[in-house]
Amino acid sequence: MRRTTALELVNWADQHEKGRVAEVLVMEAMSSEESCYEEDDDINNSKLTKYSVHRLQWESRRMKKIKKKLDKAYRKKLTSRAKERILPRVDGQPSLRCPPTENFPGWAIRQ
């Protein structure tokens, strides 16, 4: 998981902040992605061109900022070759998934 890897790359204010962020890096709190293909008529094949991201409606602004910070740290650490191969992500329909309830921090959920 790229955000878990990026957790170690960010300079957090303190270990407590890092721990709070680690708490929300669970699968139930991640947006889902759908692969988008483009048909290639010449060879009757399809090619993956982008990902449609289904963002979580219940995420707080603070959680969104933290995810962006982690994503930025991850991309910064990639090799130039790896950066070239990253496919774009576009906003899709919002996810209808409910927020995790058990032991999930309140600050990560929009009020």
Side-chain angles (χ1 to χ4, degrees):
M1 189 191 245
R2 69 180 185 265
R3 289 183 177 139
T4 305
T5 302
L7 189 62
E8 300 302 323
L9 303 174
V10 174
N11 291 324
W12 302 102
D14 55 40
Q15 289 298 324
H16 183 66
E17 182 184 16
K18 182 179 175 182
R20 282 196 318 262
V21 171
E23 265 186 307
V24 298
L25 295 182
V26 295
M27 287 305 295
E28 296 83 15
M30 295 296 126
S31 304
S32 58
E33 296 178 341
E34 181 181 343
S35 301
C36 298
Y37 294 90
E38 192 174 273
E39 296 298 320
D40 190 348
D41 296 332
D42 294 340
I43 53 176
N44 200 19
N45 215 359
S46 54
K47 178 182 176 186
L48 179 62
T49 57
K50 62 186 173 186
Y51 295 105
S52 178
V53 180
H54 303 283
R55 306 227 183 262
L56 302 169
Q57 295 181 28
W58 52 262
E59 275 185 322
S60 70
R61 180 176 282 149
R62 184 172 170 203
M63 185 162 167
K64 288 178 188 177
K65 287 173 84 173
I66 286 171
K67 284 182 175 182
K68 281 186 179 184
K69 186 176 190 175
L70 291 168
D71 291 345
K72 183 179 177 181
Y74 180 80
R75 281 191 308 274
K76 186 177 177 181
K77 202 71 171 168
L78 292 175
T79 64
S80 57
R81 175 93 170 143
K83 287 177 187 175
E84 290 171 4
R85 302 188 81 191
I86 292 177
L87 292 175
R89 286 173 163 74
V90 297
D91 285 337
Q93 294 292 318
S95 173
L96 300 176
R97 196 170 353 139
C98 295
T101 54
E102 196 170 318
N103 301 324
F104 199 74
W107 65 263
I109 300 172
R110 185 180 350 156
Q111 301 302 318

